[in-house]
Amino acid sequence: MTEQPLQALVQINQQAIALLFVNHLTSLGIRAEAVNEQDVYVVYCPPDKISQAKEEFEQFSQQPYHPKYQQAAWQHGNAGQVQSDGPSLLASFKEHFLAHAGLVTLTVFVLCWLVFVASLFGGARYIFSYLQFYPQLSWQAFFDQPLRLLGPAFFHFSWLHIVFNTMWWWQLGGSVEKVLGKGVLVHLLLLSAITANVGQYLVSGANFGGLSGVVYGLVGFVWWMGWLAPEKGLFLSKPIVGFLLFWLLLGYADVLPINMANTAHLLGLISGCLLALAQAVWKKRT
């Protein structure tokens, strides 16, 4: 059975926007392509889907960077590819990357990478000693060095560790910041990092690090906001939630070849869920 020929739907000036829309159509089960034609990007789809695609584009054109379109691109891995010559891959990546991330998201992202790169050049021991959680937690220690409550979140031990954490931070943190604002993301960062760090310290001591407790806080927050306040447009698909929860269980089963800060992950997840609940209840009362 041959595929029916595609029909031109709309012209879009920016490659990144064209790809976002193509991936959104793909997520709806509509086959779509973006073709570079004389410095504009023409989106094509099957003739029998033109009406539906036009309705989707009317909504898309009003808020092209809405998280639901970003999520479609994330899930489908930029399935739609622009044919013919166009802007460089690097230029397209930078445009999409910066468009999705707000000031708070970018600041934390860059800080984590600066710490990691500095540690690669011989500063790991000194940097970790500066960011490490309190060797002995006390009120006096907190008043003397309050930033140690957050410090471990910014130190990562391997390439896999930092890539996994910062890309999830960019994806989910960027969505939260775009939809609910910088204040909500800062509150989520502080709550999940402090809860995860204190909990992990009480269970295993001060030798831990990474943003994964915060990432699980974001997972819990976005997951529950999608359930409690779907009109906000924040959501995680069931397969992604299932994968991350399964990864959490694998950590507790102690079958992974790496050491996992399981308590930090669990407490981060719980804190994110509770913050989403508080956010949803507060919004309904105001």
Side-chain angles (χ1 to χ4, degrees):
M1 181 177 179
T2 60
E3 294 182 335
Q4 63 182 139
L6 300 181
Q7 178 178 330
L9 171 67
V10 67
Q11 294 182 354
I12 300 175
N13 292 327
Q14 298 181 39
Q15 180 185 10
I17 300 296
L19 286 176
L20 277 177
F21 184 55
V22 165
N23 279 292
H24 174 58
L25 292 179
T26 302
S27 72
L28 299 176
I30 300 175
R31 186 165 62 94
E33 294 178 1
V35 180
N36 184 6
E37 298 180 3
Q38 299 180 347
D39 297 326
V40 297
Y41 302 92
V42 182
V43 176
Y44 288 82
C45 68
D48 60 345
K49 299 292 186 179
I50 286 290
S51 296
Q52 180 184 356
K54 284 183 177 179
E55 292 179 3
E56 292 296 331
F57 183 73
E58 289 179 3
Q59 299 179 32
F60 172 85
S61 62
Q62 296 175 13
Q63 289 184 293
Y65 289 116
H66 191 282
K68 70 179 180 180
Y69 303 123
Q70 303 284 344
Q71 187 71 22
W74 180 263
Q75 291 176 328
H76 290 271
N78 283 332
Q81 300 297 320
V82 172
Q83 300 177 8
S84 186
D85 294 332
S88 69
L89 181 62
L90 178 60
S92 177
F93 170 78
K94 286 164 59 178
E95 180 182 4
H96 181 64
F97 181 86
L98 294 175
H100 181 69
L103 178 62
V104 176
T105 307
L106 283 176
T107 299
V108 173
F109 186 97
V110 170
L111 183 57
C112 287
W113 276 99
L114 286 176
V115 169
F116 182 72
V117 171
S119 70
L120 292 179
F121 286 92
R125 182 172 298 180
Y126 171 77
I127 294 172
F128 183 67
S129 69
Y130 184 77
L131 296 177
Q132 185 182 22
F133 200 79
Y134 307 101
Q136 289 188 331
L137 182 60
S138 66
W139 285 112
Q140 187 60 48
F142 168 71
F143 288 124
D144 289 343
Q145 296 177 301
L147 291 181
R148 284 186 183 270
L149 274 177
L150 300 175
F154 300 100
F155 189 93
H156 293 82
F157 297 99
S158 68
W159 285 98
L160 179 63
H161 194 202
I162 191 170
V163 169
F164 180 89
N165 283 344
T166 54
M167 290 314 297
W168 276 111
W169 164 261
W170 169 80
Q171 173 64 21
L172 299 179
S175 296
V176 170
E177 186 171 0
K178 289 289 184 182
V179 174
L180 299 177
K182 296 176 177 59
V184 173
L185 184 58
V186 170
H187 289 154
L188 180 55
L189 170 66
L190 294 175
L191 176 64
S192 57
I194 293 172
T195 302
N197 289 344
V198 172
Q200 191 63 44
Y201 166 79
L202 294 175
V203 170
S204 64
N207 292 322
F208 63 90
L211 199 64
S212 43
V214 176
V215 167
Y216 269 95
L218 282 165
V219 170
F221 184 84
V222 174
W223 174 26
W224 275 38
M225 282 298 290
W227 169 45
L228 296 169
E231 70 278 2
K232 297 296 183 183
L234 289 171
F235 68 95
L236 273 177
S237 67
K238 290 181 180 179
I240 291 178
V241 173
F243 165 76
L244 292 170
L245 293 180
F246 181 65
W247 188 258
L248 179 63
L249 291 175
L250 284 179
Y252 272 104
D254 199 23
V255 296
L256 297 171
I258 55 177
N259 293 324
M260 302 281 285
N262 299 313
T263 302
H265 297 172
L266 179 60
L267 292 179
L269 179 70
I270 293 172
S271 66
C273 294
L274 293 178
L275 184 60
L277 178 61
Q279 179 80 12
V281 171
W282 179 76
K283 285 294 183 183
K284 289 180 179 178
R285 290 181 177 179
T286 57

